[in-house]
Amino acid sequence: MRVHLVNPSDVSFGTGVITPRWLYVLAAATPQSYGDPAIVDETLERLRPETIEPGDIVGIGIHTANALRGLEVGRIARERGAWVVFGGIHATLYPSEAHEIGGAHAVVKGDGDIVWAAALADCMKGTPQAVYEGGRLAADRFQPARWDLMPPKAYMWASVQTVRGCPKHCSFCSVWRTDGQEPRQRPSDAVIGEIVQLRRMGFRFIALADDNFYPVTLEDIELAEKQNDAHRLADLRRLRAERFEFMEQLSELPADMIFFTQITMEAAEDPAFLDAMRKARIKGALVGVEAVTPEGLKSVFKDFNLSGDQLVDRLRVFKQFGVHVLGSFIFGLSTDRAETFEATATLAKKAGLTFAQFVTMTPFPGTVDFQRWEKAQGEGTKINGVSVTRYWLIPGHLRPKLYTPHPTMSPDEIRSRTQKVWDDYYKLSAIWQRADCVKALKSRLAFVLISKLYRQMYANTGIATDSARRSNANRWVRRIAPLCRKLFQAKPMPELQMPRREERPAFAILGQ
Ligand code: SF4
């Protein structure tokens, strides 16, 4: 009997950008008595069904984007006589889908770190429960990943997680509803331990794959002070102090290490935090800008973001502290007009963003937007016998490119204008200009290569409707990705030790 863990994907590039962390976390959650799980990441290579034997246990983690392939993998595994267990955000939201269409014997809802072992034991006895409630675990119970099982030379960047949950409530995002609004922050030693292990293996680029790396704002602290809420104030200050402590520990790791994360724009109001990020070598951050107008921001419940010139200024602050911004924008909001596309592209340039992504409005299950949209659809259109409100079950090539009706633009107009913004932003001359964020010629060339790779992976395989364009992009990525991976690789440091806590100086924390 063997345990298999499968990360489903329709496209395999041979090389991955970021390690799918959940595979290695569940591998760590698999008791030793089952042996090392067989890990299959289909973003690298497709699953070989013949590796699954009757009586094996197959764990499949799905989110909405890979659900259809995941359900197919479940059926394949069940046909081969395996026990099939689904997990991940999509299975948590739609457990019956995994049972009815994906051949599941069991579904793990919520955090799988602890309950996975119970699901395995029940499968071994032949009596799996239909559903296991993993809930939201306290941060000190998160499992560290089994990086020793990662295939060599497969990924560009490794990933660790420092916090789950986000106190915000953006209407297009499911994180605050599924992971909760109370930030669950891991003890920093556990995270640093994983990073040390990864640097020993030769990873020097690490993604801090958090929902929101800035879970406590200065405004939150001020508000708790005004409300005389001593308990909340103590909690917020503790969380903030732990963030600083973690960044201090990062700064003591080898000087060639580089980190990047995901953060809200409010961090730009907090020079002490940005300074700590600079010292910690957190050199990149995905910032959800979403929209450039106040009306657009209001429509997605993100009016804590700024707009116009204030937005440009705020985004520029990150760069002053050495943090390069990957700005994320959404097109297709009801407030968007034809001129919004050009205005967004201009703002991205003016704000000095290093990278940008332009996604089209998609109602994802678990979000407020999805609820509203599903209600408005009623019976709705059916494609291939499937309601459009279950669009992830429609084969990819038949799926509409946009789901939300727009008051003034057709889906095709939104899609083609979005594609044009990608094309302009990632044309060679524009990339070369942005490449001045690095000095050496070799680094500038690497920047160009990575920008092109990013664009091919996310724009041409995602929003492009033209299948020739998609398959060209796939071929291009397969050729270029191994080269990019080499650029990110470092010489392994097998002797590297944890930074020694007692040697760290005391530091002041603003807001305490
Ligand atoms: S989009 Fe970002 S800030 Fe908004 S709820 Fe999700 S994780 Fe939080």
Side-chain angles (χ1 to χ4, degrees):
M1 190 289 299
R2 191 153 198 209
V3 175
H4 303 253
L5 296 170
V6 186
N7 185 39
S9 174
D10 279 319
V11 278
S12 308
F13 293 123
T15 303
V17 178
I18 303 183
T19 50
R21 188 180 159 76
W22 78 266
L23 283 174
Y24 300 95
V25 169
L26 271 209
T30 304
Q32 290 272 303
S33 54
Y34 297 93
D36 290 342
I39 293 180
V40 181
D41 177 8
E42 290 201 310
T43 68
L44 302 176
E45 300 300 341
R46 203 108 163 135
L47 169 77
R48 288 186 300 121
E50 65 275 18
T51 56
I52 301 171
E53 304 277 348
D56 284 358
I57 304 171
V58 179
I60 305 161
I62 52 171
H63 46 81
T64 301
N66 69 1
L68 190 59
R69 170 63 188 157
L71 297 167
E72 187 184 5
V73 168
R75 291 193 300 273
I76 293 171
R78 184 141 185 172
E79 272 161 27
R80 293 196 60 83
W83 296 103
V84 178
V85 186
F86 274 84
I89 182 169
H90 191 86
T92 298
L93 293 166
Y94 295 98
S96 55
E97 218 170 65
H99 284 288
E100 286 158 20
I101 314 176
H105 293 92
V107 172
V108 171
K109 292 172 75 174
D111 293 337
D113 309 41
I114 304 295
V115 80
W116 172 240
L120 288 177
D122 289 347
C123 286
M124 283 297 283
K125 284 186 276 176
T127 53
Q129 294 174 31
V131 171
Y132 293 84
E133 296 286 351
R136 291 178 193 150
L137 290 179
D140 59 358
R141 303 186 78 197
F142 296 173
Q143 291 282 336
R146 282 275 315 267
W147 295 122
D148 58 305
L149 297 179
M150 185 166 34
K153 302 184 180 172
Y155 299 100
M156 298 181 205
W157 308 327
S159 60
V160 296
Q161 190 175 37
T162 75
V163 63
R164 286 184 200 167
C166 176
K168 304 296 176 195
H169 55 271
C170 304
S171 67
F172 55 86
C173 176
S174 60
V175 159
W176 58 281
R177 297 174 118 200
T178 51
D179 278 351
Q181 287 187 284
E182 279 305 313
R184 290 170 291 148
Q185 206 159 262
R186 275 178 92 192
S188 59
D189 275 357
V191 185
I192 297 289
E194 281 195 50
I195 296 175
V196 166
Q197 190 192 355
L198 289 162
R199 183 62 193 87
R200 284 180 189 147
M201 296 163 70
F203 281 98
R204 72 182 187 95
F205 285 82
I206 310 275
L208 308 171
D210 298 327
D211 296 328
N212 176 6
F213 191 75
Y214 187 62
V216 178
T217 67
L218 292 179
E219 207 182 316
D220 295 334
I221 291 176
E222 263 170 41
L223 193 68
E225 277 169 348
K226 269 190 208 143
Q227 292 171 338
N228 274 328
D229 188 340
H231 181 71
R232 174 147 175 81
L233 194 57
D235 229 29
L236 293 174
R237 284 181 171 161
R238 175 187 55 79
L239 283 169
R240 182 172 167 83
E242 283 173 7
R243 286 277 91 169
F244 278 84
E245 187 189 327
F246 173 63
M247 290 191 276
E248 183 73 18
Q249 278 181 286
L250 287 183
S251 72
E252 290 165 17
L253 290 166
D256 66 353
M257 296 203 76
I258 290 179
F259 303 93
F260 48 96
T261 191
Q262 190 157 279
I263 205 164
T264 55
M265 207 186 291
E266 296 151 303
E269 75 191 6
D270 191 340
F273 198 87
L274 288 180
D275 199 40
M277 283 177 75
R278 184 177 53 75
K279 285 193 195 125
R281 280 170 271 107
I282 301 176
K283 293 198 179 199
L286 186 149
V287 177
V289 184
E290 325 307 357
V292 298
T293 62
E295 308 80 58
L297 290 167
K298 206 162 177 205
S299 74
V300 291
F301 300 0
K302 203 155 185 171
D303 27 6
F304 58 85
N305 269 4
L306 296 175
S307 55
D309 282 347
Q310 281 178 306
L311 170 60
V312 170
D313 293 344
R314 188 162 268 201
L315 287 169
R316 281 184 167 276
V317 173
F318 285 97
K319 216 168 178 179
Q320 287 157 18
F321 286 86
V323 180
H324 295 280
V325 173
L326 189 172
S328 181
F329 300 88
I330 303 175
F331 286 138
L333 304 177
S334 59
T335 52
D336 284 354
R337 294 294 174 265
E339 57 275 16
T340 309
F341 297 84
E342 182 60 35
T344 304
T346 307
L347 184 132
K349 278 181 215 144
K350 228 171 135 186
L353 302 185
T354 308
F355 286 91
Q357 65 181 27
F358 310 96
V359 298
T360 46
M361 185 69 192
T362 305
F364 282 110
T367 66
V368 171
D369 283 348
F370 184 87
Q371 255 179 337
R372 284 196 292 217
W373 172 76
E374 189 184 31
K375 204 168 163 202
Q377 289 292 313
E379 281 297 292
T381 329
K382 285 199 171 182
I383 299 174
N384 225 24
V386 180
S387 163
V388 79
T389 58
R390 297 293 177 269
Y391 59 84
W392 52 90
L393 298 176
I394 301 169
H397 65 285
L398 298 177
R399 233 174 260 177
K401 281 286 166 191
L402 285 168
Y403 300 99
T404 326
H406 192 274
T408 60
M409 287 182 281
S410 71
D412 224 38
E413 182 179 356
I414 294 170
R415 197 204 52 76
S416 65
R417 285 185 185 277
T418 305
Q419 184 81 61
K420 187 174 176 324
V421 175
W422 274 98
D423 289 350
D424 287 349
Y425 191 81
Y426 285 96
K427 67 183 178 212
L428 201 56
S429 55
I431 296 175
W432 187 249
Q433 250 177 10
R434 288 195 296 275
D436 66 2
C437 63
V438 285
K439 296 289 160 265
L441 181 65
K442 192 179 156 200
S443 307
R444 291 194 82 175
L445 290 173
F447 183 92
V448 171
L449 212 55
I450 284 141
S451 297
K452 283 285 182 193
L453 180 83
Y454 185 73
R455 182 248 144 75
Q456 294 285 355
M457 271 180 149
Y458 294 101
N460 278 357
T461 60
I463 57 168
T465 43
D466 165 3
S467 64
R469 189 168 173 143
R470 287 162 72 101
S471 50
N472 272 346
N474 278 350
R475 273 201 300 278
W476 195 94
V477 171
R478 272 199 167 261
R479 273 204 309 275
I480 299 302
L483 277 178
C484 289
R485 193 193 57 76
K486 280 190 188 148
L487 293 170
F488 288 109
Q489 223 178 2
K491 200 164 171 244
M493 297 176 83
E495 309 300 329
L496 183 67
Q497 298 299 314
M498 287 280 285
R500 289 170 59 192
R501 284 181 81 90
E502 62 278 13
E503 284 178 5
R504 287 207 310 280
F507 50 90
I509 301 161
L510 205 92
Q512 280 206 94

